[in-house]
């Protein structure tokens, strides 16, 4: 599972300094880091010793190296922007000579804006990669503090900064349904039951899985049978049974019985899906509310599946619920009989750790994804032949691959793309969605086939199967996740459409999605 480095109080405090102080600090850094302005014979260590600072010398040296790289990248981007502006002026002069105009020569119009936006996206990724490499031991704050401080530190041309803003115009409403707060650590996965009563299940790094009332947000039951992080949760298609995968190298099947409390009036909280609002500056991991009250706890599994030699990262039920498949960091996926817990098949072939597994809703098909940048399609429809196909459409870890109700597979990756594939012709994707952040465990609504993308940058975006962006869930100081979003799950029961999201901020959130408005905007 992903691991987020802790942020020190010093870096968090620095990110909240007044803007004037940050600008002054920027000038100081630029003076000390500029090779042209250094007096002869004075080394970096001597300059650091002469400054009044409580930071360790090694950390200050790393900071200077980092800001030096940032300055060089911005210089390159600034030069490119100047060249683009000259191209625009030259183009305007030619068009003016031909009796045409380009909307006042606005440099944010047309194909040139696309080029500038692409350059800025590349710069952002370089900075993020450099920052992660330099803070692998959690010495500094998280990427959020870094990105905000960096842009304010260096000022930034308005043309450059504007390319980071999400486009507005979608009037669809995403209404906050409920927040589900009670886990003591990040939530990796969530799922909705397929049978009555309909409840929400969450799997957490705190070694537990919780079942929730969707309407009231009340915790109904806790499963505490695992000895490690619970990485996945899926419900049986017809019975009140749950399947959980864990870092203790096992998967558990356990039964539950819950009674739903009386429903409460829904909160009157709504916001446009694409509304640009600043996120809260609350401390990392801070969660509103208190944990769930004492609830019934299940501690013993009905069946324990323990043939893996590494972390079990995901598990799912095959159609009919008589068999399950598990995916592990030992690079294998296992197929088990539910009734006997017997290992039926071991699916090998991936070169690196598996990240996810998913089963087709109506056919005996399994798809597994891996850190080796591939996902594999396993076919169990013919009892005598178990075929496998390998797909190499991504350039980084494939974080998840899921089936749709029809004949499609949707895959998401750390390479910041999502691809839609046709099962009848998997040679190349039929649609590619490009984003600005790594994509975690995606989900696709069964009825409308809307793809929900959870991101490392705390955003959740909605797309259709052709790759057209429909909306972005609100993220402000009143709603939304404050750390990376790990997973999404849909529930389309009772004429309504709910989307559930969970993240490393220890909470799950339910949303009412106005599907007709989304499709109308499309």
């Amino acid at each position: 599972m992903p691991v987020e480095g802790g942020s020190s109080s010093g870096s968090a405090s620095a990110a909240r300094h007044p803007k004037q102080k940050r600008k002054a600090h920027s000038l100081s850094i630029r003076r000390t880091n500029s090779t042209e302005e250094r007096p002869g014979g004075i080394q970096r260590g001597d300059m650091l010793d002469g400054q009044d600072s409580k930071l360790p010398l090694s950390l200050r040296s790393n900071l200077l190296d980092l800001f030096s790289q940032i300055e060089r990248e911005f210089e390159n981007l600034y030069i490119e922007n100047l060249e683009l502006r000259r191209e625009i002026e030259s183009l305007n002069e030619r068009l003016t000579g031909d009796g045409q105009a380009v909307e006042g020569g606005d440099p944010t119009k047309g194909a040139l804006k696309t080029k500038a936006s692409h350059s800025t996206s590349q710069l952002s990724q370089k900075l993020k990669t450099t920052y992660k490499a330099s803070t692998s031991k959690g010495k500094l704050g998280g990427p959020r503090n870094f990105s905000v401080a960096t842009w304010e530190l260096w000022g930034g041309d308005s043309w450059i900064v504007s390319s980071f803003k999400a486009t507005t115009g979608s009037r669809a409403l995403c209404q906050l349904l409920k927040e589900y707060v009670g886990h003591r650590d990040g939530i990796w996965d969530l799922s909705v039951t397929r049978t009555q009563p309909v409840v929400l299940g969450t799997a957490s790094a705190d070694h537990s899985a919780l079942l929730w009332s969707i309407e009231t947000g009340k915790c109904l039951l806790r499963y505490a049978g695992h000895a490690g992080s619970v990485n996945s949760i899926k419900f049986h298609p017809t019975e009140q049974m749950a399947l959980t995968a864990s870092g203790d190298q096992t998967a558990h099947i356990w039964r539950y019985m819950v009674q739903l409390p009386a429903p409460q009036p829904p909160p009157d909280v709504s916001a446009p899906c694409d509304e640009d609002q600043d996120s809260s500056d609350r401390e990392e991991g801070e969660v509103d509310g208190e944990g769930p009250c004492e609830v019934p706890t299940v501690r013993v599994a009905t069946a324990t599946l323990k043939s893996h030699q590494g972390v079990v990262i995901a598990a799912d039920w095959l159609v009919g619920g008589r068999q399950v498949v598990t995916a592990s960091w030992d690079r294998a996926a296992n197929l088990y009989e539910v009734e006997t817990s017997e290992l039926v098949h071991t699916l090998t072939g991936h070169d690196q750790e598996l990240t996810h597994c998913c089963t087709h809703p109506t056919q005996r098909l399994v798809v597994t994804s891996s850190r080796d940048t591939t996902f594999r399609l396993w076919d169990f429809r013919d009892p005598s032949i178990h075929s496998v196909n390998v797909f190499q459409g991504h350039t980084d870890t494939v974080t998840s691959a899921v089936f749709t109700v029809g004949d499609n597979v949707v895959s998401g990756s750390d390479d910041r793309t999502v691809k839609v594939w046709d099962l009848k012709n998997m040679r190349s994707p039929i649609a590619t969605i490009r984003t600005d952040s790594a994509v975690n465990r995606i989900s696709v609504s069964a009825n409308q086939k809307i793809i929900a993308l959870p991101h490392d940058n705390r955003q959740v975006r909605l797309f259709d199967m052709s790759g057209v962006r429909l909306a972005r869930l609100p993220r402000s100081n009143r709603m939304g996740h404050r750390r990376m979003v790990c997973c999404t799950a849909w529930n389309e029961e009772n004429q309504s459409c709910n989307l559930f999201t969970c993240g490393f901020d220890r909470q799950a959130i339910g949303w009412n999605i106005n599907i007709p408005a989304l499709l109308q905007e499309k």
Side-chain angles (χ1 to χ4, degrees):
M1 304 303 291
V3 178
E4 291 199 352
S7 60
S8 65
S9 60
S11 63
S13 174
R16 289 192 291 268
H17 279 336
K19 189 172 184 180
Q20 293 79 2
K21 292 186 178 180
R22 281 199 295 267
K23 287 185 176 179
H25 184 55
S26 169
L27 296 175
S28 173
I29 291 176
R30 296 185 66 175
R31 285 197 299 268
T32 58
N33 199 46
S34 175
T35 56
E36 291 80 6
E37 297 180 10
R38 266 186 214 160
I42 298 181
Q43 303 298 322
R44 174 178 291 165
D46 298 331
M47 297 176 66
L48 293 174
D49 291 339
Q51 297 180 15
D52 183 16
S53 175
K54 300 184 184 302
L55 292 175
L57 182 61
S58 59
L59 178 57
R60 296 175 63 199
S61 179
N62 289 338
L63 281 172
L64 289 178
D65 289 336
L66 179 61
F67 279 106
S68 176
Q69 296 178 50
I70 294 171
E71 183 174 18
R72 287 194 296 270
E73 293 293 345
F74 271 90
E75 286 176 350
N76 294 335
L77 186 60
Y78 178 71
I79 293 172
E80 184 176 354
N81 286 338
L82 291 180
E83 294 175 355
L84 289 173
R85 290 180 184 274
R86 282 194 291 268
E87 291 179 19
I88 293 172
E89 292 173 359
S90 176
L91 179 61
N92 283 339
E93 291 175 0
R94 285 194 302 240
L95 292 177
T96 302
D98 295 337
Q100 303 179 33
V102 189
E103 298 187 18
D106 189 349
T108 62
K109 306 292 184 184
L112 293 177
K113 178 190 174 186
T114 303
K115 184 176 180 181
S117 177
H118 179 67
S119 301
T120 307
S121 178
Q122 289 181 329
L123 171 64
S124 176
Q125 182 62 19
K126 288 180 181 178
L127 297 179
K128 180 178 177 182
T129 303
T130 303
Y131 180 72
K132 283 187 175 181
S134 65
T135 59
S136 58
K137 296 182 180 180
K139 294 180 180 178
L140 299 177
R144 180 186 68 175
N145 290 340
F146 171 74
S147 60
V148 172
T150 301
W151 283 110
E152 292 184 354
L153 199 64
W154 292 98
D157 189 287
S158 59
W159 181 16
I160 301 174
V161 177
S162 65
S163 64
F164 284 90
K165 295 182 180 179
T167 58
T168 59
S170 174
R171 298 180 179 84
L173 295 181
C174 301
Q175 185 180 35
L176 179 68
L177 176 66
K178 188 66 65 175
E179 294 181 345
Y180 308 90
V181 181
H183 280 292
R184 299 184 302 277
D185 209 333
I187 304 176
W188 296 124
D189 195 27
L190 78 174
S191 181
V192 180
T193 58
R194 309 183 200 180
T195 59
Q196 296 293 335
V198 178
V199 297
L200 174 69
T202 53
S204 171
D206 65 6
H207 300 191
S208 74
L210 299 180
L211 303 187
W212 307 82
S213 166
I214 292 177
E215 289 78 13
T216 66
K218 179 181 179 182
C219 181
L220 305 175
L221 183 142
R222 173 187 283 107
Y223 179 70
H226 283 292
S229 170
V230 185
N231 303 323
S232 171
I233 181 169
K234 288 291 184 293
F235 293 101
H236 192 278
T238 59
E239 301 182 35
Q240 292 188 7
M241 291 194 299
L243 170 66
T244 50
S246 174
D248 62 12
Q249 303 185 5
T250 70
H252 289 181
I253 298 173
W254 45 279
R255 292 187 176 273
Y256 63 89
M257 292 184 62
V258 295
Q259 185 175 0
L260 296 180
Q264 299 176 351
D268 185 17
V269 179
S270 62
C273 291
D274 277 329
E275 182 180 353
D276 288 313
Q277 297 173 317
D278 294 332
S279 58
S280 169
D281 282 335
R282 282 177 281 187
E283 294 295 329
E284 294 288 346
E286 181 180 340
V287 181
D288 296 330
E290 300 178 353
C293 302
E294 290 298 324
V295 296
T297 300
V298 177
R299 302 184 183 275
V300 180
T302 303
T304 300
L305 313 176
K306 49 184 179 181
S307 298
H308 283 292
Q309 303 302 313
V311 169
V312 184
I313 199 66
D316 202 358
W317 305 85
L318 267 71
V319 58
R322 297 180 180 178
Q323 292 180 323
V324 299
V325 62
T326 58
S328 172
W329 283 4
D330 63 10
R331 307 183 183 184
N334 287 342
L335 186 67
Y336 296 90
E337 289 287 348
V338 171
E339 185 175 351
T340 63
S341 302
E342 178 185 356
L343 176 63
V344 180
H345 293 290
T346 297
L347 313 178
T348 59
H350 282 292
D351 294 331
Q352 295 189 41
E353 295 92 335
L354 273 64
T355 58
H356 192 243
C357 65
C358 181
T359 60
H360 194 280
T362 60
Q363 303 182 60
R364 290 177 56 80
L365 298 173
V366 175
V367 63
T368 57
S369 56
S370 170
R371 290 186 59 189
D372 62 11
T373 75
T374 72
F375 65 95
R376 294 181 175 234
L377 178 64
W378 311 81
D379 191 343
F380 296 100
R381 289 175 293 187
D382 188 339
S384 60
I385 302 175
H386 307 299
S387 62
V388 58
N389 293 287
V390 183
F391 304 97
Q392 300 176 333
H394 293 281
T395 59
D396 205 338
T397 297
V398 182
T399 52
S400 64
V402 299
F403 291 101
T404 68
V405 173
D407 293 326
N408 296 112
V409 173
V410 183
S411 59
S413 170
D414 278 345
D415 65 9
R416 303 185 295 172
T417 67
V418 173
K419 297 179 184 288
V420 182
W421 309 78
D422 187 346
L423 279 174
K424 299 177 182 178
N425 182 10
M426 297 282 286
R427 294 180 180 178
S428 60
I430 59 177
T432 298
I433 301 169
R434 303 188 186 280
T435 69
D436 60 353
S437 180
V439 181
N440 296 314
R441 291 184 179 177
I442 59 179
S443 63
V444 182
S445 65
N447 296 338
Q448 303 295 339
K449 294 187 177 180
I450 296 176
I451 311 169
L453 278 57
H455 290 286
D456 274 0
N457 66 359
R458 300 174 288 139
Q459 299 281 6
V460 179
R461 295 183 174 95
L462 307 181
F463 289 81
D464 68 10
M465 296 292 288
S466 63
V468 176
R469 173 174 158 172
L470 301 177
R472 186 189 71 187
L473 296 190
R475 196 193 72 188
S476 69
N477 58 352
R478 294 185 299 112
M479 64 183 73
H481 290 283
R482 294 179 289 277
R483 300 182 76 173
M484 72 174 183
V485 189
C486 300
C487 181
T488 60
W490 291 90
N491 177 38
E492 298 175 281
E493 300 290 335
N494 302 325
Q495 305 299 320
S496 64
C497 185
N498 296 332
L499 176 64
F500 298 93
T501 62
C502 66
F504 213 65
D505 55 0
R506 308 181 187 181
Q507 68 173 338
I509 303 177
W511 308 86
N512 276 325
I513 308 299
N514 191 336
I515 296 296
L518 288 180
L519 300 180
Q520 183 177 3
E521 287 292 329
K522 173 185 174 182

